[in-house]
Amino acid sequence: YTARLCTRPAAYWDGIKRDRVGWYGDARITQETTDAVFFDPRPAEAMLVGLPTTAWANHIPVYSFDAIAMLKQLLLAYGPRKSSQEIYGRVREMLRWTERTQTSREGLLARNPEVQYFFGIGFLDWSPMPVGGRFEELSWLQFRYIEALRNAADVARWLGHGTDAARYSASAGRLGRIAMKRFYRRGRGFVHTLNRSRRGWEKLAPDRHYRGTYVDRMRLGPSGPSRHSCSLAAWAGLCTTEQARRDVLRALDNDRLSPVITPYFAYYEQCGRAECGDPAGALMNMRQYVGEQLERNDSATVWESFEPEVTGFRRWGLGTWPKSLCHGWSSGIVPMSVRYLLGVRPVEPG
């Protein structure tokens, strides 16, 4: 119901009151939900036809990568359509721009001062996480790039671009090896950042992150693992050994790590858990998180964020930011149920 309320013929809105605009990161999850229930390709298709090719989508690097996942989902659900090659052309141009202007010599994502970023730093989630680290030092950002290249390889192969598919796959493999060597710690999991600028974990802290990292050049050493880094390693296809999967589950079971406060990233965290061998636990965690929010607040829609310990008037805000109480990115329990409860996972277009 939440996802449907946020659906329009030409876009998936973030929310029906505050954010009446198509944000690709939100749309990725909303699309999976509505494809499973309402089977309508138009909103995703309309957004993807307008994908920026020389700027980050919504000024957020990972949202450009989410657009590739949206194209993959569009092909899986409906097969090739008239717009598929046009959209793929935009994806290919965006990835060329990324490689040419947004990466280091190693090929890792790097911050380009000439590019606009949401809040000046890019965005991952509203939840508390380690603060600081240059782009090259942020594991989760590199993991999202690797996942995007893997998705692009699938899309290219399905649409008949074999040379592109091979190139994307090779790049993902090479960057995956670099990422494992740089960010994986056997017995602990995947570090969030190689260098913090503050010792504590915080919710989105744009000025402190940017100033501490790029202006004051604070380098306090590795942060250790986070829920974000460990779950996104699974999404990037890096948990190929039993040891790595155990390390991810151990990190996600660690109550000392700050919890995720958004249904948005709870989807990524719990899918990461499921892919590392605990689908039943993932479903139950997501059920409990979403169910508690709905039942405690007698809510007909799922919110942008939920912190059980925050009560009274404060629960209507995300700190000082006005919170959306009908947010499509919070519908991930639907695709999770399709994948891990019903056991249905499309592997080829259509």
Side-chain angles (χ1 to χ4, degrees), residues 257-277:
L257 296 185
S258 292
V260 167
I261 67 169
T262 60
Y264 162 70
F265 203 84
Y267 171 68
Y268 287 102
E269 179 187 2
Q270 299 310 327
C271 286
R273 172 183 290 277
E275 295 298 322
C276 285

Side-chain angles (χ1 to χ4, degrees), residues 75 90 164 201 236:
L75 291 170
R90 300 189 73 83
D164 288 350
W201 291 25

Side-chain angles (χ1 to χ4, degrees), residues 31-209:
Q31 175 194 16
E32 289 192 45
T33 299
T34 56
D35 279 352
V37 183
F38 302 109
F39 205 67
D40 183 357
R42 293 175 300 165
E45 199 167 38
M47 289 182 67
L48 291 171
V49 166
L51 175 68
T53 60
T54 57
W56 295 119
N58 307 123
H59 308 302
I60 300 174
V62 299
Y63 279 18
S64 284
F65 304 150
D66 286 324
I68 303 175
M70 289 176 66
L71 176 55
K72 182 176 179 178
Q73 169 66 18
L74 194 69
L75 291 170
L76 287 172
Y78 308 100
R81 295 170 58 80
K82 290 182 180 180
S83 64
S84 297
Q85 294 291 350
E86 176 188 354
I87 295 170
Y88 173 73
R90 300 189 73 83
V91 166
R92 179 166 54 190
E93 286 303 310
M94 182 270 290
L95 287 174
R96 285 175 176 169
W97 170 79
T98 299
E99 184 178 12
R100 186 176 67 251
T101 68
Q102 309 298 309
T103 59
S104 67
R105 291 182 178 179
E106 290 179 295
L108 298 173
L109 284 181
R111 190 181 193 281
N112 186 331
E114 298 180 359
V115 173
Q116 185 175 355
Y117 297 94
F118 180 73
F119 282 141
I121 60 170
F123 174 77
L124 175 62
D125 184 30
W126 296 109
S127 301
M129 63 185 73
V131 177
R134 300 176 64 85
F135 274 20
E136 303 94 313
E137 298 167 340
L138 299 173
S139 67
W140 58 266
L141 183 60
Q142 309 306 329
F143 296 163
R144 293 299 307 273
Y145 185 32
I146 293 167
E147 182 209 356
L149 289 169
R150 295 189 191 281
N151 285 336
D154 288 337
V155 168
R157 176 169 55 85
W158 293 337
L159 292 178
H161 301 278
T163 301
D164 288 350
R167 182 162 53 85
Y168 296 144
S169 182
S171 293
R174 182 177 60 81
L175 292 178
R177 291 187 291 274
I178 293 174
M180 286 295 293
K181 183 176 181 179
R182 182 162 298 187
F183 300 114
Y184 176 58
R185 304 292 183 267
R186 182 181 175 89
R188 297 183 63 204
F190 295 84
V191 299
H192 186 97
T193 176
L194 296 180
N195 274 293
R196 296 170 294 166
S197 60
R198 295 171 69 89
R199 297 208 177 273
W201 291 25
E202 300 178 12
K203 296 178 184 177
L204 187 65
D207 181 66
R208 288 187 292 275
H209 179 105

